[in-house]
Amino acid sequence: MQIVFSTAVDGSPITAVPVAKNGLERAAWGNVDESGQAVIAAAARAARFEGEAGSIVDVFLAGATPRQILLLGVGAGDEDGWAKAGGALTAKLLTSGATDVSVDLTATPDTPSAAAVARFAATATQRAWRFDQYRTKLPENSKPTLERITIAGAPDGTDAAWGAQSAVTDGMALTRTLVSEPPNILYPETFVEQVLASVEGLGIEATVLDEAAMRELGMGALLGVSQGSAREGRLLALRWNGAGEGDPVTALVGKGVTFDTGGISIKPAAGMEDMKWDMGGAGAVAGTMKALALRKAKANVVGVMGLVENMPDGNATRPGDVLTSMSGQTIEVLNTDAEGRLVLADAVTWVQRTHKPTTIVDLATLTGAMIVALGNENGGLFSNDDGLAEQLIAAGLASDDKLWRFPLSATYDKMIDSPIADMKNIGGKGAGSITAAQFIGRFIEEGVKWAHLDIAGMVWSDKPGTHHDKGATGYGVRLLDRFVSENLEG
Ligand code: BES
Ligand code: MN
Ligand code: ZN
């Protein structure tokens, strides 16, 4: 879908007229004549339309141009309200048969900010994303038709703001594709191929480690997960050097389990197909790196993705096995389904040794317990640094990829002590998401600021939302892009 900016409304047959909360009497109406206005006002009353963000009243005017008017609620008129409106507009028109819609910003008395218009355009574009690759029989009337949204009368500065939002939108599309691909198509090697193809030419430096290289480095934790699979594991690192050479490096580290059967501690059959998106953390890291490179972010960021498939097999890790991680610390594996933390342990060790980051943010679909606690509204945040935690929470609120913080402490940490090794890979009965975080924390070196985001409930959605349809949400890309732009640049 294409976003076009114009100074005046074109002759498009469909025009959206933005209306703020309780702002209908103040609407300037743009191209709509008086009799049209009367019809629309009556329709708005009948629909009890009050300009609530994302609400729409659809009115057809016989013989007039425009012949179809959409009153489009923008709520408080802030970024959030405009974003909701953009998503709702696309949801309404995407498969309607219409190819074009004009959005008349001159028809609103309160001109939105450039940032709000950019969010409107971004959310509208994000809501149009679909994954139809494997459908050969989609009925004609279910196919997307909307090609263009023309925004008339955007304020100065919208071009630059939209440039950045468009980069985020493209990055998010990569994340969603990776998350949606079936696990026979997307496995560690093909994950690497797809990502490298998608970021080619953007100035990103890539490093790929195969299993032989990882064995050489002693990555026994990650390889212990991978060894039951016929597919080889990979570690993919993407580095974006947007700031000076001596400037600090921030690492983003993602769990990339391309399919999680649970291994020998096998999962129940029902719903196991969901575990194709157990690489959502790595997917978010890939999408964020693409967004940062596309908008040439002025920050040094390295994105690391630990990629494995967790399968039961004659060669798979057994409950009771002890693995030696790259850090030298030993791990008693008591449940092979607690595999994400094993992958992350070696990925964070590798990035600390190789790139010396001052800050690490890891993202992982790590625990079912996170979904029990937070549902699908917030990702879980765990951090050893209050300042970093606050920055991430603020970025989450601003970008609408929300986070909620949980505690870490020595007493939780003790719950993963093992009688025969340095630690075990599961805790006790309670606090499953926290003990998982404590586990990763044991691989963070002194003085490094670290945050762990458990995004188990955020990667996939069973129902459509503001900026996504059912399916992959692209969670994490908007969040991390905001985090970088507000805290690491300038
Ligand atoms: N990938 C799962 C967590 C998960 C479950 C994410 C459901 C999204 C939806 C993870 O590898 C896992 O299996 N975790 C176990 C940990 C347990 C064995 C300590 C879990 O949450 O049950
Ligand atoms: Mn698992
Ligand atoms: Zn998993």
Side-chain angles (χ1 to χ4, degrees):
M1 235 223 345
Q2 200 193 351
I3 299 290
V4 178
F5 293 102
S6 69
T7 44
V9 188
D10 55 18
S12 167
I14 312 177
T15 295
V17 172
V19 178
K21 178 103 175 120
N22 298 320
L24 198 55
E25 312 78 60
R26 295 187 298 125
W29 291 113
N31 284 0
V32 184
D33 67 20
E34 251 171 60
S35 69
Q37 288 173 32
V39 174
I40 297 164
R45 262 195 310 279
R48 298 186 143 186
F49 174 79
E50 289 177 341
E52 205 70 62
S55 62
I56 291 180
V57 178
D58 190 359
V59 187
F60 289 80
L61 300 171
T65 301
R67 67 168 166 71
Q68 186 180 358
I69 293 283
L70 298 172
L71 292 181
L72 182 58
V74 298
D78 54 359
E79 266 192 54
D80 202 48
W82 280 89
K84 285 204 175 79
L89 182 64
T90 297
K92 172 94 190 158
L93 295 177
L94 188 61
T95 60
S96 67
T99 58
D100 274 272
V101 60
S102 289
V103 181
D104 191 356
L105 300 188
T106 66
T108 164
D110 324 292
T111 310
S113 68
V117 178
R119 278 291 295 284
F120 173 84
T123 310
T125 310
Q126 289 156 10
R127 186 64 182 79
W129 185 90
R130 303 171 42 117
F131 192 73
D132 291 333
Q133 206 136 321
Y134 299 104
R135 295 177 182 269
T136 66
K137 295 182 175 170
L138 198 60
E140 236 6 82
N141 63 4
S142 307
K143 288 185 180 162
T145 54
L146 189 65
E147 291 168 8
R148 222 171 349 268
I149 299 180
T150 302
I151 299 174
D156 288 349
T158 301
D159 268 354
W162 163 239
Q165 282 295 320
S166 163
V168 173
T169 302
D170 288 351
M172 192 182 291
L174 170 59
T175 303
R176 288 174 175 180
T177 300
L178 295 167
V179 163
S180 305
E181 284 284 11
N184 62 324
I185 302 296
L186 194 89
Y187 45 91
E189 273 182 84
T190 54
F191 183 108
V192 171
E193 283 168 16
Q194 286 209 22
V195 170
L196 292 184
S198 176
V199 303
E200 206 193 321
L202 297 181
I204 287 177
E205 281 169 24
T207 307
V208 183
L209 303 185
D210 61 11
E211 289 202 347
M214 292 193 277
R215 203 163 299 118
E216 194 73 30
L217 290 165
M219 296 182 143
L222 184 152
L223 291 169
V225 180
S226 192
Q227 73 187 39
S229 171
R231 310 288 194 191
E232 267 219 19
R234 289 285 184 272
L235 185 129
L236 170 63
L238 300 177
R239 175 138 176 177
W240 171 251
N241 295 313
E245 215 176 291
D247 282 30
V249 177
T250 297
L252 309 176
V253 180
K255 167 180 174 181
V257 176
T258 59
F259 196 74
D260 180 14
T261 63
I264 297 298
S265 313
I266 198 162
K267 289 182 181 295
M272 200 199 275
E273 67 278 7
D274 282 351
M275 288 298 105
K276 77 168 182 180
W277 46 261
D278 206 18
M279 36 53 66
V285 170
T288 302
M289 295 310 296
K290 180 172 183 174
L292 296 177
L294 276 172
R295 67 171 184 78
K296 299 193 164 38
K298 294 186 180 54
N300 295 337
V301 182
V302 59
V304 179
M305 290 144 269
L307 304 165
V308 297
E309 183 180 60
N310 188 23
M311 298 289 269
D313 179 75
N315 190 43
T317 292
R318 291 158 287 260
D321 284 1
V322 173
L323 304 174
T324 302
S325 67
M326 185 182 178
S327 73
Q329 299 181 89
T330 56
I331 303 158
E332 184 188 13
V333 176
L334 290 180
N335 189 320
T336 64
D337 198 11
E339 85 297 340
R341 62 199 75 182
L342 300 172
V343 174
L344 289 169
D346 280 343
V348 299
T349 301
W350 182 85
V351 77
Q352 287 170 109
R353 301 234 176 124
T354 315
H355 292 269
K356 304 266 176 281
T358 54
T359 303
I360 298 176
V361 180
D362 81 71
L363 295 93
T365 48
L366 205 62
T367 62
M370 200 74 262
I371 309 178
V372 175
L374 291 174
N376 313 103
E377 303 302 323
N378 286 275
L381 163 67
F382 306 78
S383 184
N384 64 4
D385 186 90
D386 292 344
L388 176 60
E390 273 163 32
Q391 290 172 342
L392 285 162
I393 289 168
L397 287 172
S399 69
D400 207 27
D401 276 352
K402 289 190 275 293
L403 289 170
W404 194 263
R405 190 175 182 187
F406 283 76
L408 294 169
S409 76
T411 46
Y412 288 118
D413 192 65
K414 217 171 143 28
M415 292 164 74
I416 54 169
D417 283 344
S418 155
I420 75 154
D422 296 336
M423 68 196 86
K424 52 186 182 181
N425 78 329
I426 53 172
K429 266 212 164 73
S433 302
I434 302 175
T435 50
Q438 296 285 169
F439 185 96
I440 303 163
R442 289 198 182 197
F443 297 85
I444 302 299
E445 290 165 10
E446 193 68 36
V448 175
K449 293 181 184 173
W450 160 67
H452 159 61
L453 315 183
D454 191 336
I455 63 171
M458 307 308 287
V459 162
W460 193 263
S461 180
D462 294 334
K463 49 185 199 314
T466 300
H467 72 307
H468 59 81
D469 202 339
K470 277 187 281 203
T473 62
Y475 182 89
V477 179
R478 298 185 303 182
L479 168 72
L480 295 172
D481 177 78
R482 268 287 174 152
F483 169 72
V484 170
S485 66
E486 307 234 307
N487 303 290
L488 306 181
E489 295 184 69

